[in-house]
Amino acid sequence: MKKFITSLLALFIIMGGVLYFWKKPKKEFSHFTTVQVTRGDIIESVEATGVIKPSIGAEVKIGARVSGMVIDEPIKIGDFVKKGTIIAKIDDAELQQSHKIAQKEFTKIQKTYPLEIEKLKKSVKKAAIEEQKAALNLEAAQADAATAQWLCKNKKKLLQKHATSQKEYRTICTEATIKQKAVQKAKLSLKQAKENLQEAQLSLEKLQKSFKYDKAIARAKLNQAKIRLEYATIKAPFDGIITYISTQKGETVVAGLNAPQFAKILDPKKIENRIYIDETAIAKIKRGMQVIFNVDALPQNKFHGRIVQIYPQPEIQNSVVYYIAVMKDFENSQLLRPEMTTHNKIIIQVHKNVLRLPNAAVKFKNGHFFVYHKKGNKIIEKEVQTGISDEHYTQILSGLQEGDIVLVEQKHAH
């Protein structure tokens, strides 16, 4: 009887153990979800901290090129100004007067010279007509002289034959001499007419050259006066942010070898992100790599760009060696300010179409990686070999195949 009771108790214990182990996995499985081994991309990256700094030439000093009292300065530190926005105004009463005088002189030259030139053109035209008349007179005198000379010779022949009188001969020949003198006079008149024409032409050319020269000088003086007048209104040379102001309304500035400084303006497009790369990762970083970063002030904004330069000289901070990688020309740079801390993700390589699992599915223990795998009603630890990983996925090199199901332990809040 005692043996029977002992056997019966042993049977109940065995059945209870079987029932316990049959029910236990169901309880354990309730703490897991399943995921599938898939193929996809894994982004290999390096994360590093950086800081926003102005690039060379990003911050420009704005100064005055004329002396005078500041009568207006409508800007404040932190203002975003567009190109051409007025930074300050200097009293320009004297410059206005100089500009008016230069304008008046230029207008006078523009008005008076053309009138004088027109008069000389008429004189040249008149001299040319006189020259033509003199030339025609000479031709007529020469023709008359030739006729008179012929008549004189003919009378001489007739006189030798006693066919005309001595008186008539002398009268004809005296006329020929007078006609010859008229030719000489006509030649002198033509010479004088040519000289008069030449003199009028030279006067016209001289006046035209003077007009061209004086107009150029007057225009240069007018432009100079205009520029100096414009200098009295100081404007922003580009779109930017006012970072410094050194003068106030009512102050008098004196322009000398060094232009008085009114303000500093920062071009937000010319800032750069200087990323501090740990010496253990610098060998992976190359120019042209894509960078995604954000700043604490704008955690939801993602800024994109590429590395354009890597400084060869290291920088040591708290006994840690860093190398600086520089990125520029990122979008929405106007939202950033110098000295903002940046949190950077540098894209090293995108591995395409690799076997992968969510990071939560891969565990590490006793020097090896494993996943929870369902085998029948049991949960076993299956060792896997991993490759690269990113913030979402881990590459599976061996131990699993595409489509395999693994378990991911759920985390419950306590």
Side-chain angles (χ1 to χ4, degrees):
M1 184 67 179
K2 193 174 184 178
K3 289 183 179 179
F4 175 75
I5 292 173
T6 302
S7 300
L8 187 61
L9 287 172
L11 179 61
F12 277 123
I13 291 171
I14 292 171
M15 290 180 65
V18 170
L19 183 61
Y20 171 78
F21 283 107
W22 180 73
K23 290 183 177 180
K24 183 179 179 182
K26 292 182 179 179
K27 185 178 180 182
E28 288 183 349
F29 287 145
S30 68
H31 294 288
F32 289 86
T33 58
T34 60
V35 294
Q36 191 175 31
V37 180
T38 61
R39 286 192 174 273
D41 298 343
I42 294 181
I43 301 174
E44 183 181 0
S45 63
V46 169
E47 294 188 359
T49 302
V51 63
I52 298 296
K53 293 283 188 180
S55 301
I56 296 175
E59 194 171 43
V60 175
K61 297 177 181 178
I62 304 174
R65 302 177 70 174
V66 293
S67 301
M69 185 178 70
V70 180
I71 59 175
D72 192 16
E73 194 170 16
I75 57 168
K76 300 184 298 295
I77 293 177
D79 285 353
F80 180 83
V81 295
K82 301 289 288 182
K83 180 180 179 180
T85 299
I86 295 175
I87 302 297
K89 285 186 176 181
I90 297 175
D91 184 12
D92 60 357
E94 185 177 344
L95 297 173
Q96 288 276 13
Q97 186 63 26
S98 297
H99 181 263
K100 287 181 180 179
I101 292 173
Q103 180 67 65
K104 187 176 180 180
E105 182 64 22
F106 181 73
T107 303
K108 178 181 178 182
I109 289 174
Q110 285 278 76
K111 183 178 180 180
T112 57
Y113 266 95
L115 295 175
E116 295 298 323
I117 288 173
E118 191 61 31
K119 288 180 180 180
L120 278 180
K121 284 183 177 179
K122 291 180 179 179
S123 297
V124 170
K125 187 176 181 180
K126 183 177 180 181
I129 293 173
E130 293 298 324
E131 182 197 31
Q132 292 176 354
K133 287 182 178 180
L136 292 174
N137 289 337
L138 176 59
E139 289 180 5
Q142 288 174 333
D144 289 345
T147 301
Q149 188 64 28
W150 181 84
L151 290 173
C152 179
K153 290 180 179 180
N154 188 51
K155 285 295 180 179
K156 185 177 181 181
K157 291 179 181 179
L158 292 175
L159 181 62
Q160 291 174 350
K161 295 178 180 181
H162 304 287
T164 186
S165 65
Q166 186 73 26
K167 182 179 178 182
E168 190 173 353
Y169 165 71
R170 287 180 180 176
T171 299
I172 292 298
C173 288
T174 299
E175 185 67 22
T177 301
I178 293 172
K179 295 290 186 182
Q180 191 60 41
K181 288 181 179 180
V183 169
Q184 296 301 320
K185 185 178 180 181
K187 285 182 178 181
L188 290 174
S189 297
L190 178 59
K191 181 181 179 182
Q192 185 62 49
K194 288 183 177 181
E195 289 177 353
N196 291 340
L197 175 60
Q198 186 178 15
E199 184 178 351
Q201 289 173 333
L202 288 174
S203 297
L204 176 61
E205 291 176 4
K206 183 179 179 180
L207 188 62
Q208 287 173 331
K209 288 180 180 180
S210 296
F211 176 43
K212 184 177 180 181
Y213 176 79
D214 290 347
K215 184 171 69 171
I217 295 296
R219 178 181 281 116
K221 289 181 178 179
L222 177 60
N223 290 338
Q224 185 181 38
K226 181 181 178 181
I227 291 171
R228 288 185 62 80
L229 180 59
E230 290 174 350
Y231 285 163
T233 302
I234 301 161
K235 299 179 180 180
F238 49 77
D239 296 355
I241 301 166
I242 301 299
T243 60
Y244 176 77
I245 297 175
S246 61
T247 58
Q248 296 180 359
K249 182 178 178 180
E251 291 184 3
T252 299
V253 295
V254 179
L257 295 177
N258 296 319
Q261 182 179 321
F262 276 88
K264 289 182 182 178
I265 182 171
L266 173 68
D267 185 349
K269 295 180 181 179
K270 290 185 179 180
I271 57 176
E272 61 189 30
N273 180 13
R274 297 182 188 175
I275 308 168
Y276 291 84
I277 311 296
D278 190 277
E279 62 176 324
T280 59
I282 191 61
K284 298 179 181 180
I285 308 302
K286 301 287 186 291
R287 290 176 62 180
M289 285 184 171
Q290 183 182 359
V291 181
I292 303 171
F293 75 91
N294 62 5
V295 295
D296 294 331
L298 302 166
Q300 303 303 320
N301 291 64
K302 298 293 184 182
F303 299 88
H304 299 260
R306 294 187 181 275
I307 292 175
V308 297
Q309 188 177 8
I310 300 174
Y311 291 171
Q313 189 69 24
E315 186 170 317
I316 300 175
Q317 297 180 0
N318 299 323
S319 301
V320 180
V321 178
Y322 294 99
Y323 290 86
I324 297 177
V326 180
M327 65 172 294
K328 298 180 180 180
D329 300 326
F330 31 84
E331 294 180 356
N332 298 321
S333 58
Q334 71 275 7
L335 300 176
L336 302 172
R337 298 291 184 272
E339 305 305 326
M340 281 185 170
T341 300
T342 62
H343 306 283
N344 305 272
K345 179 180 179 181
I346 305 172
I347 309 302
I348 305 300
Q349 185 178 356
V350 178
H351 297 264
K352 299 283 188 180
N353 197 34
V354 298
L355 282 179
R356 66 182 189 179
L357 273 174
N359 292 334
V362 182
K363 305 295 181 180
F364 183 79
K365 185 172 70 175
N366 297 330
H368 67 271
F369 290 95
F370 67 92
V371 298
Y372 290 119
H373 192 63
K374 182 180 179 182
K375 188 174 183 180
N377 288 328
K378 296 182 179 180
I379 298 174
I380 63 171
E381 297 178 0
K382 186 172 185 180
E383 186 175 344
V384 294
Q385 184 180 357
T386 62
I388 62 169
S389 62
D390 60 17
E391 56 187 307
H392 300 294
Y393 294 99
T394 298
Q395 182 184 13
I396 304 300
L397 298 177
S398 63
L400 293 170
Q401 294 182 350
E402 185 178 0
D404 285 350
I405 303 295
V406 300
L407 301 176
V408 180
E409 192 174 7
Q410 296 182 356
K411 294 182 179 179
H412 294 283
H414 295 287

